[in-house]
């Protein structure tokens, strides 16, 4: 559902007299979808009609092709039956059908996944979608848009027009039209009239909860006639504003000041030139190759409600580390208020350990009694680990190891934990850095006994730290802290507590260590 499909077939109409499709352009083949719903009601919908101007000669094969969509509400699993049919010719006309195909668009009909916002017009020369106009569409249901070729070059063709705005429409990716972004438009146009005609590229927007489109001109192309052949319009720069950023729909359309002339279009492009990249940009210290299309990310709450975190996936990572999200999430930007700008954290890892269940009895990874043996846990995802209310049953638990200098827990992802995140018990000299924890129960990054020293917590983030409903005897996980600090003789640098039901950083010191010197505590938020 809600996916574009390419339809192609060969049709032949024959009979004792010429068909109305041949002589009058009526009663031509139509692709229809029919279905009977669970109440035994039969419903029909036209998917495609024959393009105006298609040459139809009795007894000869002609091509019937186009792009159609099936919507979710039309595809019910409870339907008694559903079918596609080709209808149209009047009684007495025989119809033959051959070489039917239904296929998905190829890669040439979609943006480059590594540079989604580089050029907002995909398949601008008509050569990328196997003879189809996709992803472009007719603005009106006149079906006037077609693809033609002169033998060496493909181009778009508008015919049987009867309105100024009977033209081509290209939907733009809303995530790319950030305010301040400048794009350069260019295209070639050819008109089939001796009268002077002006083509006017416009940006068309529709705001949420409104039913009226707004139009902003990109440029006015030079007047032209059929004697001019293809005429280049542009290059000309256009800068998007907040009007475009807030719109629910942004399209590129071409208004033509002659309502009936045929128009050809070719080599259309709308290329990024400058401006603030939309979405998010990876810090230069982060390796872009670790972030890719399809990876899951999380954005913490930007307000006083710890539970307002949201997850989505990455649509693409473009040159310069610019991230485009599959479902854009609005957050306060750095330039608006740096104090309320949330982080963007990567949850996906190539190596995943998960329970496959939703109960609170998850497994634990325990490093036990490995004194002076260097241990490394790096680059893995732990999902659903830990058992709530049981001491030591944590996703990662270092227990009674003594000095583990050189050991590290680094760049891991811990989600849906039932009992803390990284727990350090009777272990010294451990480096815990660059980990991401999301939607966890109890304290997250914790020193347990209050005797642990020389451990370093560096650049970790904890998002959505929730209280335990069942806790081990003597523990305080029902009032959790994202970072539980029980001894000053350790380091906390560059960590982020991004939404806790109780505390971000809790210094729960004992009478024996309260006066000890703090190794380091800086740049934590």
């Amino acid at each position: 559902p809600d996916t574009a499909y390419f339809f192609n077939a060969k049709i032949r109409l024959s009979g004792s007299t010429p068909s109305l499709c041949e002589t009058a352009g009526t009663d031509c083949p139509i692709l229809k979808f029919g279905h009977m719903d669970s109440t035994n009601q039969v419903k029909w919908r036209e998917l495609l009609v024959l393009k105006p101007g298609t040459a139809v000669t009795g007894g000869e094969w002609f091509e019937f092709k186009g792009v159609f969509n099936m919507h979710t509400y039309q595809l019910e699993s409870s339907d008694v039956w559903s079918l596609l049919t080709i209808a149209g010719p009047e009684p007495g006309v025989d119809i033959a059908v051959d070489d039917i195909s239904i296929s998905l668009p190829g890669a040439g009909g979609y943006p480059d996944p590594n540079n989604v916002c580089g050029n907002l017009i995909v398949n601008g020369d008509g050569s990328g979608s196997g003879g189809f106009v996709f992803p472009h569409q007719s603005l009106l249901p006149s079906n006037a848009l077609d693809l033609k070729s002169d033998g060496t070059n493909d181009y778009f063709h508008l015919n049987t027009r009867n309105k100024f705005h009977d033209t081509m429409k290209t939907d733009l990716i809303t995530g790319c039209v950030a305010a301040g972004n400048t794009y350069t438009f260019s295209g070639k146009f050819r008109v089939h009239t001796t009268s002077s005609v002006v083509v006017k590229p416009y940006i068309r927007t529709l705001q949420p909860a409104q039913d009226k489109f707004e139009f902003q001109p990109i440029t006015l192309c030079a007047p032209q006639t059929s004697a001019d052949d293809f005429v280049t319009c542009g290059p000309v720069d256009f800068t998007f504003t907040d009007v475009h950023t807030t719109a629910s729909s942004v399209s590129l359309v071409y208004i033509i000041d002659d309502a009936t002339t045929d128009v050809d279009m070719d080599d259309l492009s709308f290329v990024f030139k400058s401006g603030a990249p939309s979405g998010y940009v990876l810090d230069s210290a982060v390796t872009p190759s670790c972030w890719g299309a399809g990876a899951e990310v999380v954005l913490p709450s930007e307000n006083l409600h710890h539970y307002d975190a949201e997850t989505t996936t990455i649509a693409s990572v473009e040159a310069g580390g610019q991230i485009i999200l599959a479902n854009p999430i609005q957050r306060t930007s750095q330039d608006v208020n740096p104090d309320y700008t949330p982080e963007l954290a990567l949850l996906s890892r190539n190596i995943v350990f998960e329970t496959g269940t939703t109960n609170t009895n998850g497994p634990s990874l325990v490093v036990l009694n490995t004194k002076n043996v260097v241990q490394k846990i790096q680059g893995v995802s732990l999902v659903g680990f830990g058992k709530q209310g049981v001491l030591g049953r944590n996703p990662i638990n270092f227990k009674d190891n003594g000095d583990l200098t050189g050991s590290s827990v680094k760049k891991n992802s811990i989600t849906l934990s039932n009992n803390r995140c990284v727990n350090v018990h009777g272990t010294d000299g451990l480096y815990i850095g660059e980990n991401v924890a999301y939607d966890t129960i109890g304290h997250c990054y914790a020193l347990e006994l209050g005797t642990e020293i020389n451990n370093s917590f560096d650049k970790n983030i904890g998002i959505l730290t929730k209280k335990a409903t069942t806790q081990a005897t003597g523990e305080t996980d029902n009032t959790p802290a994202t970072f539980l600090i029980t001894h000053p003789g350790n380091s906390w640098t560059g960590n982020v507590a991004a939404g806790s039901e109780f505390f971000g950083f809790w210094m729960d010191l004992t009478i024996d260590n309260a006066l000890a010197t703090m190794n380091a505590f800086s740049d934590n938020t």
Side-chain angles (χ1 to χ4, degrees), residues 351-373:
I351 301 173
V352 180
F353 298 93
E354 58 185 341
T355 63
T357 62
T358 57
N359 60 38
T360 60
N361 186 17
S364 301
L365 177 57
V366 181
V367 179
L368 176 65
N369 289 327
T370 60
K371 294 179 175 61
N372 300 314
V373 179

Side-chain angles (χ1 to χ4, degrees), residues 309-332:
E310 295 183 75
T311 60
T312 185
T313 56
I314 295 174
S316 70
V317 179
E318 304 188 32
Q322 179 184 355
I323 292 177
I324 303 299
L325 300 179
N327 298 303
I329 298 174
Q330 297 298 324
R331 287 291 193 262
T332 301

Side-chain angles (χ1 to χ4, degrees), residues 105-122:
Y110 295 101
D112 179 355
N114 297 312
N115 191 15
V116 171
C117 295
N119 187 352
L120 298 184
I121 301 179
V122 179

